[in-house]
Amino acid sequence: MDLNQTAGSDYDVLVVGAGSAGLYGLHLLREKGLRVRVLEQGSGVGGAWYWNRYPGARLHSESHSYQFFFDPELLEEWDWSELFAGQPELERYFNRVADKHDLKKDIDLDTRVVSMTFDEGADIWTVRTDPERTYTARVVISATGPLSAPIYPDVPGLDTFVGESFHTARWPREPVGFAGKRVIVIGTGSTGVQIIPQVAKEAAHLTVLMRTPNWVVPLNNRVLDVHDMASIRAGYPDLRKYLATTFGGFLHNPGSRPTTTYAPGELKELYETAWQGAGFTKYFGMPYDVLADETANRHFADFVAGKIRARVNDPQVAELLIPDHPFGAKPVDCESAVYQGDGFGYYEVFNQDNVDLVRISVNPILEIVAEGVRLADRVVEADLIVYATGFEAFVGSLNRIDIRGVGGMALRDRWADGPETYLGIAVSGFPNLFMIGGPHGKGGHDNSTRCAEVPLQWIADLAEKVARQEYRRVEPDPAAERDWTDNVIAAGNANLMSKAKSFLYGDNVPGRPRRYVAYIGALPAFVDRLRQVEADGYAGFVLTESGPESRPKSLSE
Ligand code: NAP
């Protein structure tokens, strides 16, 4: 397709982002016969699994629970090699989906959206990109990803370092060697926990700069053979339905009994079984009060602290690694490998002679200098600095685009005190703009493909009504938006997660007022709410209907 010819033409829908949500969205919209274009800043598809190509990047959801379910042929064809697939396999998977469904012909790669402006006269969005092109469409769907706007430490001198440095979410495609190098890793969230053992097994020396320790549990990954895949495949008919009933679209769901109903020995056995179990068994598969009640949480956290003490040789180092916030208050991290004598477990790293742990909450980073990182007490010299410092979550990818709605209002100004949305999907004053994976919507720190499936279908249905000009404009009623926002924030503030600082409350972005930006409700309740809103004629939305004369018969003709 000649971009110069089509750049100014009127698409029905523009989708921003070719990650899992963008790909599925494109598929759904094309099935409806709509003219769709996807704009993707990366050079390939896969979103998070395109960008986060650092060594150790790996799923926390079981591979077969994370995949798409819309293509029975692909379910038959695709064999997962591990229970928790690594980044290279996931990137291959999303490319396979895109190739099989010929999605790439409707995706412009290397195309970063810089602005979107709503034309109130024509009810059309004009989208400008870098490299400079202009696209217009009736509807824009933002599928930019909840965790896609990387942030670096807010310290001076980032550009002065003379060695190599990479943010984990901007890891180069060419392999980065650690052997023989002095490496600093800043950050011990899920990403840091995955990359640190990979660095430690090769580097001449590794210094881990940790601001806050977090709870880390074993992933218990394993290779899947043909028999495993056969049995997984036999379960597919029920699996999709089951995942739709769980809290976060994971295979694991909180138990129906509280901790207090278990005898002490029974509870210990339950914890041990969970510990040996796969992935988030230790997070979403516990008695329901572990993530809700401080006493129950403390009991399980003490069990995990015991595991840490048993694995770290130096008791002082072990204490540095034990968090003082409740288990699960920050999203729980999973180590890619458990220590089984191979030396690659996260906690065992801190027993290695070539590894130092520095708690920068007591010995802060003052600046980055040419030789490395200047701490309060010394300069740590390095050949390579790894920034595993996370993301401006949920709002960052949207706020980095100049989005102008009715009256020229900028979304980033509208959200200066924190995001306000209706259903996490739409914002008043920004008609015909829909978000998936945005703030206050389900899926940001869950099994994202499962949580996005129904919302994307719902958005695609509504987008079709706008594209076919059944509605000229769709935007939330400000009262419904306020109600949704207040309720989501209140639920977030009442949760144990509020007891720790994290990206879920915007705490990691300097100068940002603390405000809950995620969504704490269960997937089935979220989906029920969407269906009810639709059944009630899109209750909570202001729908401006088009006159019959302005309705095209078919946009796909
Ligand atoms: P994160 O959880 O926000 O962790 C960032 C780390 O960097 C934290 O240890 C943080 O310390 C530290 N940090 C941030 N700014 C710093 C500064 N100025 N100075 C020193 N340290 C600083 O980010 P993440 O590890 O990238 O993980 C984010 C989310 O991505 C996860 O919760 C998960 O949802 C997702 N993720 C998923 C997978 C997967 O599915 N397999 C893998 C990786 C990540 P503080 O804790 O003190 O702020």
Side-chain angles (χ1 to χ4, degrees):
M1 181 178 293
D2 181 347
L3 280 174
N4 291 327
Q5 282 177 8
T6 60
S9 76
D10 190 5
Y11 290 99
D12 300 327
V13 185
L14 287 169
V15 177
V16 186
S20 60
L23 292 176
Y24 184 49
L26 171 59
H27 168 74
L28 289 171
L29 294 159
R30 261 193 0 197
E31 293 274 288
K32 292 176 180 294
L34 299 177
R35 293 171 303 153
V36 192
R37 195 101 201 132
V38 178
L39 310 176
E40 165 57 54
Q41 64 174 329
S43 305
V45 301
W49 301 107
Y50 167 83
W51 290 106
N52 291 273
R53 50 182 65 248
Y54 59 86
R58 181 172 294 291
L59 272 175
H60 287 163
S61 314
E62 282 80 351
S63 310
H64 56 290
S65 73
Y66 183 79
Q67 68 193 335
F68 293 125
F69 282 82
F70 68 85
D71 179 351
E73 258 178 42
L74 193 64
L75 288 172
E76 277 308 307
E77 166 202 314
W78 189 268
D79 285 335
W80 292 102
S81 72
E82 292 177 275
L83 188 55
F84 298 92
Q87 179 274 332
E89 186 169 7
L90 288 156
E91 193 182 13
R92 279 199 303 280
Y93 173 74
F94 286 114
N95 273 282
R96 175 67 191 130
V97 174
D99 290 336
K100 182 165 186 290
H101 290 272
D102 202 14
L103 297 177
K104 289 180 182 171
K105 72 175 164 61
D106 292 320
I107 301 173
D108 290 343
L109 298 172
D110 297 309
T111 300
R112 187 173 63 85
V113 172
V114 293
S115 71
M116 306 179 195
T117 308
F118 186 68
D119 176 339
E120 291 177 58
D123 296 313
I124 293 279
W125 281 96
T126 300
V127 174
R128 295 200 165 78
T129 65
D130 176 16
E132 205 173 317
R133 285 190 214 118
T134 302
Y135 301 76
T136 57
R138 296 212 161 272
V139 176
V140 176
I141 298 176
S142 154
T144 48
L147 296 159
S148 54
I151 52 171
Y152 291 78
D154 185 25
V155 292
L158 289 184
D159 293 335
T160 60
F161 180 59
V162 295
E164 296 172 286
S165 64
F166 304 109
H167 194 288
T168 44
R170 289 292 176 272
W171 203 259
R173 296 181 102 151
E174 310 72 44
V176 177
F178 303 125
K181 291 181 186 168
R182 298 162 303 166
V183 183
I184 294 173
V185 176
I186 307 178
T188 53
S190 297
T191 302
V193 163
Q194 289 188 330
I195 195 173
I196 283 167
Q198 305 297 321
V199 178
K201 69 183 176 189
E202 284 183 23
H205 193 271
L206 166 64
T207 306
V208 176
L209 301 184
M210 175 179 72
R211 191 162 65 183
T212 316
N214 194 16
W215 298 104
V216 181
V217 299
L219 190 64
N220 294 330
N221 192 21
R222 64 185 173 85
V223 168
L224 298 176
D225 62 20
V226 283
H227 305 292
D228 293 319
M229 267 321 295
S231 110
I232 285 172
R233 210 168 258 128
Y236 280 158
D238 295 328
L239 181 62
R240 186 185 198 173
K241 284 186 226 143
Y242 171 72
L243 293 169
T245 68
T246 66
F247 186 86
F250 292 108
L251 277 173
H252 315 288
N253 211 24
S256 54
R257 288 168 59 188
T259 303
T260 43
T261 63
Y262 290 87
E266 214 187 346
L267 202 54
K268 178 86 191 335
E269 205 179 306
L270 183 82
Y271 291 169
E272 281 294 351
T273 307
W275 196 255
Q276 306 303 329
F280 279 154
T281 329
K282 284 79 65 179
Y283 189 11
F284 291 110
M286 303 305 297
Y288 67 82
D289 52 348
V290 167
L291 295 182
D293 173 78
E294 287 200 56
T295 308
N297 187 285
R298 171 52 47 203
H299 196 258
F300 183 64
D302 286 347
F303 166 83
V304 180
K307 294 286 185 193
I308 299 171
R309 290 190 181 101
R311 291 171 62 186
V312 179
N313 297 341
D314 181 333
Q316 283 182 332
V317 175
E319 294 314 308
L320 287 180
L321 288 163
I322 294 174
D324 53 18
H325 55 262
F327 180 89
K330 280 172 178 285
V332 168
D333 306 332
C334 292
E335 52 187 338
S336 286
V338 190
Y339 186 61
Q340 291 162 334
D342 60 4
F344 301 150
Y346 174 69
Y347 287 114
E348 286 72 20
V349 161
F350 301 100
N351 298 334
Q352 292 183 207
D353 292 337
N354 65 333
V355 177
D356 285 331
L357 174 66
V358 179
R359 246 192 112 158
I360 55 174
S361 46
V362 289
N363 187 10
I365 301 174
L366 299 186
E367 59 178 333
I368 309 296
V369 293
E371 315 81 54
V373 176
R374 184 189 301 284
L375 303 175
D377 73 344
R378 68 195 150 107
V379 171
V380 181
E381 294 186 1
D383 305 301
L384 167 61
I385 300 176
V386 175
Y387 294 102
T389 41
F391 303 91
E392 187 184 359
F394 300 96
V395 293
S397 56
L398 288 155
N399 279 350
R400 291 175 193 195
I401 300 171
D402 186 12
I403 303 176
R404 303 276 167 167
V406 171
M409 185 200 309
L411 185 66
R412 60 170 79 111
D413 292 342
R414 204 26 235 292
W415 284 359
D417 294 329
E420 293 175 355
T421 77
Y422 180 46
L423 306 171
I425 284 177
V427 183
S428 63
F430 295 82
N432 309 343
L433 170 64
F434 305 112
M435 301 176 293
I436 186 79
H440 296 166
K442 184 67 185 166
H445 58 112
D446 299 287
N447 180 346
S448 52
T449 47
R450 290 297 87 227
C451 289
E453 185 175 74
V454 174
L456 271 168
Q457 293 163 356
W458 190 94
I459 289 171
D461 288 346
L462 189 50
E464 183 182 21
K465 293 183 189 344
V466 178
R468 297 195 187 285
Q469 297 191 52
E470 191 175 322
Y471 303 130
R472 200 156 54 78
R473 284 192 191 183
V474 174
E475 62 177 305
D477 172 354
E481 180 177 75
R482 211 170 308 118
D483 189 50
W484 177 262
T485 302
D486 289 349
N487 279 311
V488 171
I489 291 174
N493 290 345
N495 192 273
L496 269 189
M497 286 190 144
S498 66
K499 307 276 181 199
K501 288 185 174 174
S502 79
F503 63 84
L504 299 173
Y505 295 83
D507 295 314
N508 60 337
V509 181
R512 170 83 65 73
R514 182 167 223 250
R515 192 161 185 182
Y516 187 61
V517 289
Y519 174 82
I520 202 70
L523 175 61
F526 185 74
V527 166
D528 284 351
R529 176 71 188 261
L530 288 186
R531 295 208 164 113
Q532 195 57 51
V533 165
E534 185 180 357
D536 293 343
Y538 292 103
F541 282 95
V542 179
L543 308 169
T544 311
E545 300 209 358
S546 305
E549 71 290 346
S550 62
R551 275 187 217 152
K553 285 197 189 82
S554 165
L555 289 171
S556 56
E557 282 167 5

